[in-house]
Amino acid sequence: MSRPRIAIVGAGFAGYRTARELSRMSRGKADITLLNPTDYFLYLPLLPQVASGILEPRRVTVSLSDTLPHVRLVLGEADGVDLDGRTVRYTDPEGGEGTLPYDRLVLAVGSVNKLLPIPGVAEHAHGFRGLPEALYLRDHVTRQVELAAASDDSESCAARTTFVVVGAGYTGTEVAAQGQLYTRAQVRKHPLRQGVRPRWLLLDVAPRVLPELDEHLSRTADRTLRERGVEVRMGTSVKEATPSGVLLTDGEFVRTRTLVWCVGVRPDPLVESTGMPLERGRLIVDPYLQLPGRPEVFACGDAAAVPDLNEPGTYTPMTAQHAWRHGKVAARNVAASLGVGERRPYRHKDLGFVVDLGGAKAAANPLGIPLSGPAAGAVTRGYHLAAMPGNRVRVAADWLLDSVLPRQAVQLGLVRSWSVPLDTASPELARVPGGPGGARDEQGPRGQEARRKTKAAGSGPGAATLADTEPEGSGKPRPADGKNQPHPEAASTRPGGEPAKTQPGGEPAKSQPGGQPAKNQPGGQPAKNQPGGEPAKNQPGGQPAKNQPGGEPAKNQPHGEPDKKAPGPVKRTDGTPGVIPAEGDS
């Protein structure tokens, strides 16, 4: 008798936990296959520390092959699911197509960026949901401070050292807190002229920082940020983004080269291809995480609308903590469906929240006890070490070195601005020129969703960003109509590294993403002045990527839309986990 085939799609918090638990339970009695576009699990909560130079990128990635024995890893991006035929279609990193058969299927594809129709944001902002974006932000912030230190133009210096973060949930709060410390350390080595100091703004339409948490944590975070000089502006967001700055909803225009978008996610559009009932884009499942009428199919994490048995009539929020716990229950119930053990419904219990504010500062309430300062910082770091499925010693060593040595503020230039556009359905993967899969990207469920979102937002791929396009000495915002190109004399200084060949009113540059010639498009000759011709194979996340030049628009925009992975029982969908889970939750 053949062994049962179990397919798991996605290696985020839910998919990774499912694979790990099933690996332990099956003991080689089932064929477990994990389909994921990367060969590692990304621990998202520590991503702000990567962007601020505390941790090296590999510290927050955990090898799937090393930590998942008895699990076969297939590198690829799911294109569709045939529920009747019990197969999953996928495309590998080199463009080859394949089919994955299954007897049991676990859909844990997670979420993607959310797009709102705010003019200019898709062109000029960058998100913060994947490792490439964190690496880009680290290089970009370093570069802006270094250029500002060498500039004789006070206006340009001030614009380069002004950093706008939208979204005061976990991700935005931690990015602003860590970023402010990073730039403050930089200017000690690179003093700025004209007495300019780095300026960080944190915006949100919510009435307070971390609005879904209790007021003690919110007040602690707010006070810490303000004491460091971060301008916290609640009830305010971005009305329009332009090449030279952002227009705020209160009417103020802020000149800046940096706009970080830390709000808004939605379920991966792949789930729509199943044809099953959805709840706000999430697959409706029963308390046992099974699809109604499809007992062989399970869904968990951000892709699933799981009933919250603690609050009847509601669904569990899209958070890392729930995704992690979903994975444990999904594994048990998959095993039970094969005759091993008994199935259990999903229930949860939380022990508190933690928010890392950089340095020795944090906000936490373990077991309901409010903490701040160094005590909260120790609890926060202890929680992250306990929650990480690997690399604990390396992370602890980096923290120790950071406490006694200065950070290495250098820009490696490995990720370019156009490689991590906000308008992408897969922020976990850097966009690569000339890579395979362009046609597939446009035809698949993510491509269709991306085109629809782009049309609704009135923005398109291939546009320049704030950091790329502002001409020196320009004090006026330029129109955000997708035609923003730098002046000829400034073209060679684009963060992309290659000289732009597009002139106002001229033909699009042949070496820029979004241009029209075939030399750097899939199926054409490789561009001679672009880095490489193959897609990046080691990028984080559990969602299939559709990242090619001229690819899909993104889906994560702000306006109070919470970002992914807020802790515990809160309804905010924030990007950075901060809850202390109770052991033995099921």
Side-chain angles (χ1 to χ4, degrees):
M1 181 177 179
S2 62
R3 294 187 298 182
R5 299 166 299 180
I6 303 173
I8 304 170
V9 181
F13 281 90
Y16 180 84
R17 184 81 183 274
T18 301
R20 193 174 76 169
E21 296 294 331
L22 280 173
S23 174
R24 293 173 178 174
M25 298 172 66
S26 68
R27 299 180 181 179
K29 296 180 180 179
D31 291 330
I32 306 172
T33 302
L34 177 61
L35 176 65
N36 198 58
T38 68
D39 64 353
Y40 58 80
F41 160 77
L42 174 68
Y43 189 72
L44 281 167
L46 295 181
L47 211 53
Q49 296 192 26
V50 173
S52 57
I54 299 174
L55 297 177
E56 290 303 309
R58 284 188 175 86
R59 303 296 187 258
V60 298
T61 61
V62 178
S63 170
L64 298 178
S65 299
D66 291 348
T67 58
L68 298 177
H70 312 301
V71 175
R72 171 176 168 250
L73 173 63
V74 174
L75 289 177
E77 308 169 279
D79 295 324
V81 179
D82 182 355
L83 296 179
D84 294 327
R86 295 194 176 190
T87 58
V88 178
R89 301 186 306 275
Y90 69 90
T91 304
D92 67 31
E94 296 183 347
E97 297 182 352
T99 301
L100 190 63
Y102 65 85
D103 296 307
R104 298 291 185 274
L105 172 65
V106 180
L107 289 173
V109 290
S111 56
V112 298
N113 294 326
K114 188 174 185 178
L115 183 66
L116 295 179
I118 299 175
V121 167
E123 295 96 332
H124 307 303
H126 286 287
F128 198 81
R129 298 220 327 108
L131 193 57
E133 293 170 324
L135 293 175
Y136 168 75
L137 184 62
R138 180 172 171 175
D139 273 3
H140 172 74
V141 171
T142 303
R143 177 170 57 251
Q144 295 309 306
V145 174
E146 291 174 347
L147 291 175
S151 176
D152 292 324
D153 186 331
S154 59
E155 288 188 359
S156 174
C157 181
R160 290 188 183 279
T161 55
T162 297
F163 308 94
V164 179
V165 181
V166 184
Y170 283 96
T171 301
T173 298
E174 293 187 351
V175 166
Q178 299 280 6
Q180 198 278 339
L181 291 180
Y182 182 56
T183 54
R184 187 166 67 183
Q186 270 192 283
V187 296
R188 295 194 187 105
K189 304 175 186 178
H190 304 279
L192 303 178
R193 304 188 183 190
Q194 312 294 335
V196 176
R197 305 292 295 176
R199 180 189 181 194
W200 284 82
L201 287 80
L202 178 62
L203 314 177
D204 201 311
V205 295
R208 57 186 175 92
V209 174
L210 303 173
E212 298 296 339
L213 300 188
D214 67 53
E215 293 189 4
H216 167 76
L217 295 180
S218 178
R219 286 196 303 268
T220 299
D222 187 279
R223 181 177 65 252
T224 300
L225 291 171
R226 294 180 189 273
E227 287 175 353
R228 288 183 183 166
V230 177
E231 297 181 32
V232 180
R233 299 193 183 184
M234 296 295 96
T236 306
S237 189
V238 171
K239 184 177 181 180
E240 181 181 3
T242 74
S244 58
V246 292
L247 177 64
L248 306 184
T249 53
D250 62 7
E252 179 183 356
F253 183 81
V254 178
R255 294 195 69 220
T256 179
R257 300 290 186 92
T258 309
L259 179 59
V260 187
W261 220 247
C262 296
V263 280
V265 295
R266 67 178 302 275
D268 192 304
L270 177 70
V271 301
E272 297 179 6
S273 68
T274 64
M276 298 298 290
L278 304 176
E279 167 63 28
R280 295 189 177 182
R282 293 195 283 175
L283 284 168
I284 295 177
V285 297
D286 62 22
Y288 300 95
L289 309 183
Q290 292 176 293
L291 270 65
R294 297 284 181 177
E296 76 282 1
V297 181
F298 298 76
C300 53
D302 291 350
V306 180
D308 190 340
L309 299 182
N310 294 336
E311 298 183 25
T314 65
Y315 299 95
T316 57
M318 296 166 63
T319 69
Q321 291 71 30
H322 282 295
W324 186 250
R325 298 167 187 174
H326 287 173
K328 182 178 181 180
V329 174
R332 288 179 176 177
N333 292 343
V334 168
S337 72
L338 297 173
V340 179
E342 297 181 359
R343 67 175 189 163
R344 298 182 182 180
Y346 176 72
R347 294 182 183 274
H348 65 90
K349 181 180 179 182
D350 302 308
L351 296 180
F353 304 89
V354 295
V355 183
D356 189 354
L357 299 175
K361 298 295 183 68
N365 62 349
L367 300 175
I369 302 173
L371 298 176
S372 60
V379 169
T380 299
R381 292 198 167 184
Y383 161 68
H384 287 312
L385 285 180
M388 288 194 69
N391 296 345
R392 295 187 182 97
V393 174
R394 289 184 172 91
V395 169
D398 274 7
W399 284 342
L400 178 61
L401 291 174
D402 181 68
S403 66
V404 297
L405 297 176
R407 298 181 193 176
Q408 294 177 297
V410 296
Q411 45 174 318
L412 300 178
L414 299 178
V415 181
R416 308 301 176 88
S417 174
W418 51 263
S419 298
V420 285
L422 188 64
D423 55 352
T424 174
S426 295
E428 303 86 359
L429 290 167
R431 187 174 283 182
V432 178
R440 171 178 57 82
D441 293 345
E442 295 180 0
Q443 295 171 2
R446 289 175 182 77
Q448 296 170 6
E449 175 68 10
R451 289 196 303 275
R452 184 177 68 81
K453 292 291 183 180
T454 298
K455 183 177 180 180
S459 59
T465 65
L466 280 168
D468 295 342
T469 59
E470 181 188 3
E472 290 294 335
S474 172
K476 298 180 181 180
R478 301 178 68 191
D481 56 2
K483 300 178 181 179
N484 305 309
Q485 298 293 342
H487 289 331
E489 61 270 19
S492 63
T493 62
R494 296 171 59 97
E498 289 77 37
K501 298 179 180 179
T502 303
Q503 304 297 333
E507 184 179 354
K510 296 185 178 182
S511 63
Q512 299 300 328
Q516 59 189 17
K519 287 189 176 182
N520 69 342
Q521 301 299 332
Q525 298 178 359
K528 295 182 180 180
N529 64 344
Q530 294 295 349
E534 292 189 5
K537 302 182 181 66
N538 289 328
Q539 301 299 342
Q543 280 66 256
K546 308 299 174 191
N547 307 314
Q548 304 299 335
E552 296 86 23
K555 305 168 187 88
N556 82 333
Q557 307 288 346
H559 263 221
E561 287 289 336
D563 47 10
K564 182 182 177 184
K565 312 241 179 266
V570 301
K571 300 301 184 291
R572 188 176 183 84
T573 54
D574 189 60
T576 303
V579 64
I580 303 175
E583 290 298 326
D585 286 347
S586 62

